[in-house]
Amino acid sequence: MTAADPGQVEGPVGDDGLATAGEDGDVDPLPGPVRQRVVGAAAQVLGSIPTDQVPVALRRVAKFAPARRAKLGEREILAVLRTSGAFRSQVAAALDDDSGEPVERAVRSFLRRPAGWQDDVEAVGATLAEEEERVDLRRAREQAAQAQEQLRAARTEAREERDRLRAEVERLKRDATTLRRAVGEAREAQRAAGQAAERDVAAALDAAERA
């Protein structure tokens, strides 16, 4: 019987005691940004180490371009990282960020496994979740404020349009009154002119009879 390759995933539990790839292909989740950073770093390392040092489970993935390794090989990469201390050490050695930024701190803890590293990762996950909630709350407040501003603008526009229409109605009423008055005056003038013409005709006839 031959010894198993240290990078070969043989069971559902890794050397950290956490669940790895199971029958459904899932792995015990890391916080999203931490998982992306870990997988991205491992994908880069796969392209820089000799083929004989690449874990067996990742030799197919290693043939991909780095971006495709991280995208298509995420499950396999995470599973090997959980079971292979050697591969974790290779990835950890390639890290060039020793900042105290939460994601980087969690990545280093996950790869180097100092005492209490699980608590570090969970704490960072909680911090990231709280920050996401704060961002969501701030975005919701901004959206609510924007909606209120839009409502105020719509109400102002509606009020201005109502006032404009009212003014237009009043103008049309005045115009209609003026036109009715003009029509009445024209009819009165026409009637008076007709009566004057009738009188003139009657006077002319009367004068003709007397002649």
Side-chain angles (χ1 to χ4, degrees):
M1 181 180 297
T2 58
D5 184 278
Q8 182 69 47
V9 180
E10 297 183 342
V13 178
D15 60 8
D16 55 8
L18 298 177
T20 61
E23 293 181 357
D24 58 359
D26 292 335
V27 294
D28 189 66
L30 289 168
V34 177
R35 182 175 63 253
Q36 293 173 6
R37 179 72 176 94
V38 166
V39 172
Q44 290 292 337
V45 167
L46 283 176
S48 64
I49 59 179
T51 302
D52 60 355
Q53 294 183 22
V54 175
V56 172
L58 296 180
R59 288 178 183 172
R60 180 183 64 86
V61 175
K63 297 177 182 179
F64 299 152
R68 287 175 59 83
R69 288 179 210 140
K71 181 178 181 180
L72 302 179
E74 176 179 314
R75 182 178 66 86
E76 291 87 349
I77 289 173
L78 283 173
V80 172
L81 284 171
R82 292 186 184 282
T83 59
S84 173
F87 186 51
R88 284 198 307 274
S89 296
Q90 288 175 309
V91 178
L95 294 179
D96 56 4
D97 190 336
D98 288 328
S99 70
E101 195 274 329
V103 170
E104 294 300 328
R105 189 170 68 250
V107 169
R108 292 195 301 272
S109 290
F110 174 77
L111 293 173
R112 296 171 182 172
R113 305 297 171 91
W117 69 268
Q118 296 98 329
D119 294 336
D120 289 342
V121 172
E122 290 178 3
V124 168
T127 298
L128 293 174
E130 290 174 0
E131 177 60 26
E132 184 175 358
E133 289 177 359
R134 284 194 293 269
V135 170
D136 289 343
L137 178 59
R138 182 167 62 250
R139 184 181 297 113
R141 287 174 174 170
E142 291 173 351
Q143 291 174 344
Q146 184 179 22
Q148 289 177 348
E149 181 60 29
Q150 291 174 343
L151 178 59
R152 282 193 294 268
R155 286 174 173 172
T156 298
E157 183 178 355
R159 183 170 59 254
E160 292 174 349
E161 179 65 9
R162 183 177 66 249
D163 293 343
R164 187 189 68 80
L165 291 175
R166 285 178 177 174
E168 182 68 10
V169 169
E170 292 300 322
R171 185 188 68 78
L172 291 174
K173 287 181 178 179
R174 290 194 299 272
D175 289 348
T177 299
T178 300
L179 288 173
R180 285 195 298 270
R181 184 180 300 113
V183 169
E185 291 173 352
R187 287 175 177 173
E188 181 61 26
Q190 183 180 20
R191 187 180 64 79
Q195 291 175 347
E198 289 176 356
R199 287 194 299 271
D200 290 344
V201 170
L205 293 175
D206 185 58
E209 291 177 353
R210 294 177 181 179

